[in-house]
Amino acid sequence: MPGPLRIVSYNVRYFGHAVRGLASTRAGKRGIARALAALDPVPDLICLQEVETSSIRSNIGRPYPEQTQLESFMEQLDRAYGEHGLVMPFTALYFRAHTYKLGDISLYTTGLAVLVNLQTLRVDMHNADQPAGITHYRVARWKDRKQTRICAHLRLSDGEGRPLHLFNTHLSLPTPFAREYWAVKEKMGWGMNQLHEAQRLASFVHQRTDGEPFIVCGDFNSPPGSPVYRFLCEEAGFVGAQERLGQIDPRQPRAFPTAGFMRLRMHLDHLFSSPSVRWIDLDGTFPFGEGPFAGLSDHMPLIGRFVIEPQAPQEARSEEHTSELQSLRHL
């Protein structure tokens, strides 16, 4: 019987944290690659947020500018595993989100990446060619100027052929152009644009999984206890791994920060799943500024182990849950 699977979700800040995200650096990629390669057991899935393709920002100081940022990072990861006498087991998929251009010049790009351990999982399908758009556009004429938010999706199979859907995403910041933004003290996770994106995300997840097990991870720019977090857990039916295992309490959203900006500490990153995924532990997950990943990005990785529980027959799903899915699909 297959053992537990291990997942890492990490906002890597374009591998440029040492220069405040202004440019990708080889040292930044090397440091993150070595920290990931040192994880034991080896992860089965690594989900990255804030990964570029190729641009002026990502190519500064690069000896081979024709490479994408992900290709360059995978070379560093391969070297890092080699330092441990191991073969790097991952295949990488890139999900393009947005490109900022000045004429024909690409200033910088945004996107997501997913690394799959082919020794333990098989990729059945993915949407890398056309990631799902979840951006909320309050003003239609600003559509081309607003940073696109997407959701990466893979359908995987484990050693026994059991399905697992994986979703990787990065929600917008709360927009200051909405009246509601100034009406509340808390900002992150309280933006109406963020809630709309969370609704679109949940609808997409339930449409694609149709009752099969899933994991949703990423940078949600929303702390525990915020309207976005509450919607995903209470209405969309997602299970928060950190809450389930007692690592966080939504009533204390600042107690376990996953990101930092100057002296500000925030919990913005999450691991969610369907109830058919049982979380075992979060070994390797540290609050901001602690552990082997400290100083490598303005976020900390969330690292969890889980097992896929035997599925109940499809017809056994409750009428209440079925109604909930139908309502989400119409959002």
Side-chain angles (χ1 to χ4, degrees), residues 84-325:
H84 291 273
L86 300 173
V87 176
M88 196 267 294
F90 299 102
T91 188
L93 292 165
Y94 184 74
F95 302 79
R96 184 190 299 267
H98 198 87
T99 301
Y100 288 92
K101 288 188 174 183
L102 181 62
D104 294 330
I105 300 174
S106 178
L107 298 177
Y108 70 96
T109 57
T110 63
L112 308 168
V114 176
L115 281 56
V116 181
N117 187 333
L118 294 180
Q119 295 178 357
T120 57
L121 293 168
R122 183 184 71 215
V123 180
D124 297 327
M125 64 80 63
H126 61 79
N127 68 347
D129 293 335
Q130 192 172 2
I134 60 171
T135 319
H136 175 67
Y137 299 103
R138 184 169 177 267
V139 180
R141 66 177 179 271
W142 292 351
K143 185 174 181 180
D144 294 335
R145 301 178 187 178
K146 182 176 173 62
Q147 187 175 121
T148 303
R149 299 298 179 173
I150 61 171
C151 182
H153 171 221
L154 293 82
R155 187 183 189 275
L156 307 156
S157 298
D158 68 4
E160 289 190 341
R162 294 179 299 180
L164 175 69
H165 293 263
L166 176 67
F167 299 88
N168 182 18
T169 194
H170 187 180
L171 267 58
S172 295
L173 293 166
T175 176
F177 300 108
R179 189 182 321 151
E180 299 86 355
Y181 179 86
W182 305 102
V184 295
K185 178 180 178 181
E186 300 294 339
K187 308 299 183 186
M188 305 297 278
W190 290 74
M192 289 305 298
N193 62 314
Q194 294 182 295
L195 190 55
H196 281 297
E197 289 180 358
Q199 291 168 344
R200 291 183 180 184
L201 170 67
S203 178
F204 177 68
V205 168
H206 287 304
Q207 286 173 1
R208 292 298 183 271
T209 57
D210 195 26
E212 292 182 331
F214 65 79
I215 287 179
V216 184
C217 65
D219 178 356
F220 292 80
N221 279 314
S222 304
S226 66
V228 166
Y229 184 90
R230 293 201 308 269
F231 167 79
L232 292 173
C233 292
E234 297 171 10
E235 297 186 48
F238 292 6
V239 175
Q242 289 181 282
E243 182 179 358
R244 175 58 58 89
L245 293 178
Q247 191 174 68
I248 65 169
D249 182 345
R251 295 170 297 182
Q252 298 178 315
R254 302 180 188 276
F256 195 105
T258 65
F261 175 72
M262 299 181 72
R263 295 186 178 182
L264 186 63
R265 299 292 180 264
M266 302 162 286
H267 188 135
L268 306 178
D269 308 270
H270 301 285
L271 285 172
F272 295 111
S273 73
S274 61
S276 53
V277 169
R278 178 167 59 86
W279 293 98
I280 297 176
D281 62 52
L282 293 160
D283 292 349
T285 298
F286 291 91
F288 186 82
E290 300 181 21
F293 289 88
L296 298 178
S297 173
D298 59 347
H299 288 250
M300 297 292 287
L302 301 184
I303 305 171
R305 287 197 308 155
F306 64 93
V307 295
I308 304 171
E309 297 281 34
Q311 282 187 264
Q314 188 76 6
E315 58 271 18
R317 293 164 63 190
S318 69
E319 294 182 5
E320 179 181 353
H321 187 55
T322 302
S323 176
E324 176 185 316
L325 297 188

Side-chain angles (χ1 to χ4, degrees), residues 44-61:
D44 303 281
L45 293 163
I46 299 176
C47 297
L48 305 177
Q49 301 88 44
E50 293 196 9
V51 180
E52 287 220 49
T53 48
S54 182
S55 69
I56 289 179
R57 178 175 69 174
S58 68
N59 289 337
I60 293 176

